[in-house]
Amino acid sequence: MLKREYDQVCSIARTLEVLGERWTLLVIRDVFNGRRRFDQIQENLGVARNVLSTRLALLVDEGILEKRPYQQRPARYEYFLTEKGLDLWPVMISLLDWGDHHLSVDAGPPMLIRHKRCGGRVDGRGYCERCGERLGARDAYTEHGPGAAAEGRPAVEA
């Protein structure tokens, strides 16, 4: 993560101060994919607990995630995307699309984004390839793609 004293008047630099560390975007990806509890995120990413704790605290402090209790004793929390967090959906879709085009395995993309209403695939600009509708995060879901099996995951989610 870049130092907070980064001395440039630039929106990209300011954004990187918040999102520029690898684990941060992967945490956001996991929350988009329905992993909302610390242990779910930690198990999926394999990230050190202290690193995950720091990233979650930053995302809550920045207003990207909201922390909600689901258990009192001991205190346990779930993390939900705020509107500010949901606004990252086009960024995540663009990163996914870029990776699929330039870094994907021969078997195909490891994850597919689908339109909830019609089941069509979502393209890298956030449009449904079947019905043409421009989608937001709440209009779509993810599933394992053909490349997931090549990376050691089942071809479809259980």
Side-chain angles (χ1 to χ4, degrees):
M1 190 157 61
L2 296 174
K3 298 179 292 184
R4 289 288 179 171
E5 303 86 42
Y6 197 62
D7 194 27
Q8 287 193 18
V9 180
C10 171
S11 293
I12 294 173
R14 285 194 301 265
T15 300
L16 286 174
E17 288 176 357
V18 176
L19 303 175
E21 198 279 330
R22 168 187 167 189
W23 293 116
T24 304
L25 286 175
L26 295 176
V27 167
I28 293 167
R29 178 207 62 192
D30 272 14
V31 176
F32 266 114
N33 287 333
R35 291 179 191 92
R36 293 188 178 92
R37 295 182 180 184
F38 185 96
D39 289 340
Q40 292 172 324
I41 299 167
Q42 196 276 326
E43 181 181 341
N44 188 59
L45 295 179
V47 61
R49 295 177 73 80
N50 64 321
V51 172
L52 179 56
S53 182
T54 301
R55 296 302 172 260
L56 287 168
L58 170 72
L59 292 168
V60 169
D61 289 347
E62 291 291 337
I64 293 168
L65 295 179
E66 177 185 343
K67 185 173 160 180
R68 299 180 196 164
Y70 71 88
Q71 179 180 309
Q72 296 296 329
R73 291 192 177 138
R76 302 267 191 246
Y77 300 91
E78 291 182 306
Y79 297 88
F80 292 85
L81 291 156
T82 62
E83 288 301 315
K84 184 177 180 179
L86 289 168
D87 283 348
L88 288 168
W89 193 69
V91 174
M92 301 301 282
I93 294 296
S94 292
L95 286 171
L96 179 70
D97 186 61
W98 187 90
D100 287 348
H101 281 94
H102 298 287
L103 305 172
S104 191
V105 296
D106 289 338
M111 182 173 26
L112 301 175
I113 311 292
R114 296 221 178 258
H115 186 186
K116 285 181 182 176
R117 192 169 50 87
C118 76
R121 279 190 61 182
V122 178
D123 70 16
R125 296 177 304 124
Y127 287 90
C128 176
E129 292 177 348
R130 182 174 292 160
C131 71
E133 187 176 336
R134 172 91 171 158
L135 307 175
R138 291 183 177 104
D139 303 318
Y141 66 93
T142 60
E143 65 184 21
H144 290 305
E151 295 184 13
R153 296 217 174 185
V156 291
E157 283 191 341

